[in-house]
Amino acid sequence: MKKLQLLLLFVLLPFLAYASNAEDKSLSIERMWQLERIGAPVASADGKFIVAPVTRFDVKADQGHTRLWLFSADGKQQRPLTVDGMRASEATFSPDGSTLAFISQRHKDDAGQIYLLPLTTPGEAQRLTEVPTGVYGIKWVGEHLYFISRVWPGKSWEEMATQLKANKDKKMSAWQWNALPYSHFDHWIDENRQAHVFRIAAKGGEVQPVTQPLGLELPRSSQGASSYDIHPQERYIAFNANGSSNTVDPKIDIFLAAIGSDKADNITPDNQAPDSNPTFSPDGKSLAFSRQRIHGFYADTARLMVYDLAGKTSRELTTNWDRSVNNFIWSADSRGFFASIDDAGTNRLYQIDARNGKQRAITKDTSFGRPALAGKNTLVTTNESFLFPARLVTVDARNGNTRRLDSFNNELLAQTELGTYESVTYKGADGNDIQMWVHYPAGFDKSKKYPLFLLIHGGPHNAITDSFSYRWNAQTFASWGYVTAWPNFHGSSGFGQDFADAINPDWRTKPLADIQAATAWFQNQPWIDSDRMVAGGASYGGYLTSILLGTEHPFKALLIHAAVYNMYSQMAADFAVHSTRFGNYWDNPEIYKSISPHYFAGNFNTPTLVIHGQLDYRVPVGQGFELFRTLQSRGVESRMIYFPDENHWILKPNNSIYWYNQVKDWMTRFAEPGAR
């Protein structure tokens, strides 16, 4: 009888496991990878056509596939435009809205090329370019398509094709640099290649250089479609370039040149901080751009500027507004702007008057992405919250009314049990108000006690907004049985200039006080079990968690991902945090000594999970191994997880699933999830 029972159990075990998995309706990491992801949309000038990229993932194959989808403004049409399994990106409409340009790599393409697809007549997409170095950052203005390509100056396209093949076939793997920059986040920068803008007629023909004759290249570390703009009558190009000879701390300026000329004028020579996002007005009379004023402070408030092309003068529109303006577009009548603004924990749409800079909030709750115009008063953009991924919507700019255009993920989310969340405020450093997002597991019962998983965001100036995240998803952590929280501590963006800059150069004191105050806030809640609290963060969040590690705290275990652990060695990364504003460590060693986590290693005694990727050049992998070796040398229970094929973020499906499951395993060991 016992043998029969064991046999039946063996036979039924797979079915029981399936039934158990089938009943799991939480927002698990496996379920998240089933969600289809909608990217930023574009619209034809009349709003008739709306196109957005949609990415789905094949976990078994460990890769994603992006297709372009066509939508109508009334929400009645939703159909794919491009073939499944063939990547497509950077959709761009022709001025008359009849043709769609996009980038794809098809058939025998060695790099991404521009393809044209007719929308008003039947037809297949036809390749327009054959640029061996590939294209990106495309814009369609007038009779031409403009694009960026990283090229070898002085070489013909044929010579560049030969060079690319030689590089691919060579057996020697060394890189050489004689000046900075050498890398950016996850890729090496070839110092012999430059990023330049080119153009080609929409009907085809010869590729023409636009910025090469000017003797200026786009910024070496990072460039894209927002790095330049073309006058609506194709008279001028405005673009970003380094306005100084210093490549260690480049001065990002805006240059203006007549297309076809060999001379460009620097229109922002007196500002030492970055001027970015050059954007011509539809009437061709003005150029708008974003201006920061503190060189070396990437979260300095970005002011909206307008440059008069005829008068050659600039004026600042948002002088008295304590919010950054980056993701903006002109209104169709050139009398104002629409923008997505990081505003106190939510990305809201605003309208800004081009005459006096007056602002008006269009939306209130949940977050909206950078808008595109789909008619005079209609905006098309994405809308998301902690509880739902990006959706495609139109927004009436007059009253904020939204209409959803897509139906992606409806069925899956209808079968998913989500928790709830709320925004709370508590007193932090200096008695200042600190906003915090608190997430509760599904079925939360305040009469019971739950463990806490306190999340510490990175940046440090990137606030957590009411948005959906596939990395560090608070609702997924909550689904394990934890109350989770994101405090927007001092330094977070969206709460004003003084709040953001309050942690420079002292990264440690105020954010640590805010985290300690958040911890105390939770300890005072009757539904939190103070004996089951854990915490973790990545990048700067990993830094601050490393600071916690060397400080007295009540957490039973910590998660430290891609952490800035040693401030001295971090200066050798692709981004040195304090050197530009406050001096290098040989000039001002006391700053680094007072805030670097490795100086507090003598106090490390908390079980810690350390995670890092080999391809992380923003915070090099040595930071993680230094921390792990220190923990091991001190006899602290610790685990190191190393991803040889990931960078600052864990992006591949199976690596992501492994990451979440390892974090769950680690935290469960020290703070059992679930209510008691």
Side-chain angles (χ1 to χ4, degrees):
M1 185 65 180
K2 190 173 182 180
K3 290 183 178 180
L4 179 60
Q5 290 175 331
L6 289 172
L7 180 61
L8 286 171
L9 180 62
F10 178 78
V11 172
L12 292 173
L13 192 59
F15 298 98
L16 293 172
Y18 173 81
S20 176
N21 290 334
E23 292 171 0
D24 181 9
K25 295 183 178 181
S26 68
L27 187 63
S28 65
I29 179 57
E30 291 80 8
R31 182 163 295 205
M32 270 207 295
W33 280 104
Q34 296 175 39
L35 294 170
E36 294 180 279
R37 307 183 187 185
I38 301 176
V42 293
S44 58
D46 60 4
K48 181 178 179 181
F49 297 119
I50 296 170
V51 172
V54 180
T55 303
R56 66 172 182 84
F57 288 88
D58 183 339
V59 174
K60 185 176 181 181
D62 205 36
Q63 61 184 4
H65 301 281
T66 301
R67 304 172 75 180
L68 298 178
W69 283 69
L70 180 67
F71 304 85
S72 60
D74 60 7
K76 294 181 179 179
Q77 179 173 249
Q78 174 180 307
R79 66 178 178 86
L81 286 176
T82 56
V83 180
D84 192 19
M86 227 169 252
R87 291 178 182 266
S89 63
E90 297 198 38
T92 306
F93 279 99
S94 60
D96 66 3
S98 66
T99 306
L100 187 75
F102 61 92
I103 296 176
S104 187
Q105 186 172 345
R106 302 182 171 201
H107 310 304
K108 297 181 181 180
D109 295 340
D110 292 323
Q113 304 295 337
I114 297 176
Y115 281 78
L116 302 181
L117 177 67
L119 294 178
T120 56
T121 58
E124 296 293 326
Q126 300 295 317
R127 184 175 61 188
L128 177 67
T129 59
E130 293 186 55
V131 177
T133 47
V135 304
Y136 60 99
I138 64 173
K139 295 176 186 282
W140 195 330
V141 184
E143 301 297 323
H144 294 86
L145 282 116
Y146 294 78
F147 62 87
I148 301 172
S149 190
R150 291 187 62 86
V151 300
W152 284 274
K155 290 184 182 289
S156 68
W157 295 118
E158 292 76 15
E159 290 172 329
M160 283 189 266
T162 301
Q163 182 69 59
L164 286 166
K165 185 178 186 306
N167 289 351
K168 184 178 180 181
D169 295 340
K170 70 180 180 182
K171 305 303 179 184
M172 187 274 296
S173 62
W175 286 78
Q176 180 182 130
W177 296 280
N178 296 283
L180 292 178
Y182 63 85
S183 66
H184 184 65
F185 267 109
D186 63 352
H187 62 275
W188 303 117
I189 296 175
D190 186 341
E191 70 175 9
N192 297 309
R193 295 174 69 176
Q194 297 179 355
H196 281 288
V197 178
F198 299 85
R199 75 175 184 177
I200 184 172
K203 61 184 179 182
E206 183 181 353
V207 172
Q208 302 171 331
V210 179
T211 54
Q212 266 189 304
L214 304 172
L216 293 163
E217 60 178 305
L218 272 63
R220 293 212 144 202
S221 290
S222 179
Q223 68 291 131
S226 64
S227 302
Y228 77 98
D229 199 30
I230 305 298
H231 188 270
Q233 282 79 51
E234 297 190 83
R235 293 176 59 192
Y236 304 106
I237 179 173
F239 63 98
N240 280 129
N242 186 359
S244 75
S245 59
N246 187 345
T247 61
V248 178
D249 292 311
K251 178 180 179 294
I252 304 303
D253 284 322
I254 293 176
F255 289 80
L256 182 68
I259 292 178
S261 73
D262 60 0
K263 182 179 182 300
D265 294 322
N266 185 345
I267 65 171
T268 60
D270 298 328
N271 183 41
Q272 298 305 306
D275 292 289
S276 54
N277 306 309
T279 309
F280 285 102
S281 60
D283 64 11
K285 296 180 180 180
S286 304
L287 177 76
F289 59 93
S290 300
R291 163 164 289 179
Q292 295 178 305
R293 296 196 179 279
I294 301 177
H295 188 42
F297 178 31
Y298 78 85
D300 182 31
T301 299
R303 288 86 173 173
L304 184 60
M305 307 288 296
V306 175
Y307 178 81
D308 181 76
L309 293 172
K312 297 184 179 180
T313 57
S314 295
R315 58 192 175 93
E316 186 175 303
L317 280 184
T318 55
T319 303
N320 299 318
W321 197 29
D322 214 2
R323 295 291 182 268
S324 285
V325 184
N326 290 304
N327 297 315
F328 66 87
I329 59 170
W330 282 93
S331 60
D333 59 9
S334 300
R335 298 177 63 181
F337 303 89
F338 299 107
S340 174
I341 302 295
D342 181 357
D343 184 19
T346 303
N347 292 319
R348 297 185 174 92
L349 294 181
Y350 273 82
Q351 185 174 24
I352 303 171
D353 194 306
R355 296 164 297 182
N356 53 30
K358 184 177 180 180
Q359 316 92 33
R360 178 180 65 87
I362 299 172
T363 62
K364 295 181 180 179
D365 299 325
T366 68
S367 288
F368 293 81
R370 184 178 189 269
L373 273 177
K376 183 179 180 181
N377 291 308
T378 301
L379 305 175
V380 59
T381 184
T382 54
N383 174 222
E384 60 187 297
S385 83
F386 288 119
L387 298 184
F388 58 85
R391 299 169 174 173
L392 187 65
V393 297
T394 57
V395 181
D396 189 324
R398 295 165 296 189
N399 53 32
N401 291 340
T402 64
R403 175 199 292 268
R404 186 178 175 191
L405 304 183
D406 76 285
S407 59
F408 291 107
N409 303 316
N410 283 357
E411 184 177 351
L412 183 62
L413 290 176
Q415 300 170 5
T416 303
E417 292 181 353
L418 295 167
T420 58
Y421 70 98
E422 66 173 328
S423 174
V424 303
T425 301
Y426 66 92
K427 296 295 183 181
D430 296 337
N432 292 331
D433 286 343
I434 304 298
Q435 185 270 336
M436 177 168 62
W437 296 108
V438 181
H439 292 254
Y440 305 97
F444 176 77
D445 183 347
K446 65 172 60 176
S447 68
K448 297 181 179 179
K449 286 187 176 290
Y450 292 80
L452 171 69
F453 190 171
L454 186 67
L455 307 174
I456 304 174
H457 74 68
H461 306 290
N462 301 339
I464 296 298
T465 59
D466 186 2
S467 306
F468 196 87
S469 175
Y470 294 91
R471 297 176 294 108
W472 291 74
N473 188 291
Q475 282 290 315
T476 296
F477 295 142
S479 76
W480 300 343
Y482 294 93
V483 169
T484 60
W486 286 111
N488 277 318
F489 43 76
H490 278 85
S492 301
S493 59
F495 297 89
Q497 175 78 7
D498 291 344
F499 191 84
D501 206 15
I503 68 169
N504 294 315
D506 183 358
W507 264 17
R508 183 178 188 272
T509 304
K510 289 184 179 179
L512 176 61
D514 293 342
I515 293 300
Q516 291 170 330
T519 304
W521 186 91
F522 279 109
Q523 288 176 313
N524 289 328
Q525 305 307 314
W527 33 266
I528 285 294
D529 186 345
S530 296
D531 291 327
R532 289 186 293 157
M533 298 201 303
V534 293
S539 194
Y540 172 85
Y543 160 89
L544 194 50
T545 309
S546 298
I547 290 293
L548 268 181
L549 180 62
T551 309
E552 186 176 350
H553 64 79
F555 298 106
K556 303 301 180 183
L558 299 173
L559 160 64
I560 300 179
H561 177 109
V564 177
Y565 168 65
N566 184 331
M567 291 292 288
Y568 288 88
S569 56
Q570 177 61 27
M571 289 192 64
D574 76 352
F575 178 65
V577 177
H578 289 326
S579 58
T580 299
R581 286 182 75 185
F582 305 108
N584 294 290
Y585 60 81
W586 55 82
D587 298 316
N588 203 346
E590 290 308 311
I591 289 177
Y592 299 88
K593 188 172 183 179
S594 65
I595 66 175
S596 185
H598 78 284
Y599 273 106
F600 305 92
N603 298 325
F604 291 179
N605 58 17
T606 308
T608 302
L609 173 62
V610 183
I611 306 177
H612 223 114
Q614 178 65 45
L615 306 181
D616 186 351
Y617 306 145
R618 175 52 50 108
V619 181
V621 69
Q623 296 274 345
F625 280 111
E626 284 184 47
L627 173 57
F628 179 60
R629 183 174 183 84
T630 302
L631 289 163
Q632 289 284 303
S633 298
R634 284 190 49 77
V636 178
E637 186 172 3
S638 51
R639 178 186 298 170
M640 177 77 193
I641 297 179
Y642 163 78
F643 290 95
D645 55 349
E646 296 284 4
N647 54 50
H648 201 55
W649 313 282
I650 307 303
L651 301 178
K652 296 183 178 181
N654 286 283
N655 284 345
S656 172
I657 291 171
Y658 179 82
W659 184 95
Y660 271 93
N661 287 333
Q662 285 294 308
V663 171
K664 182 179 181 181
D665 173 73
W666 184 260
M667 296 311 188
T668 299
R669 288 179 57 195
F670 301 99
E672 184 180 358
R676 290 181 180 174

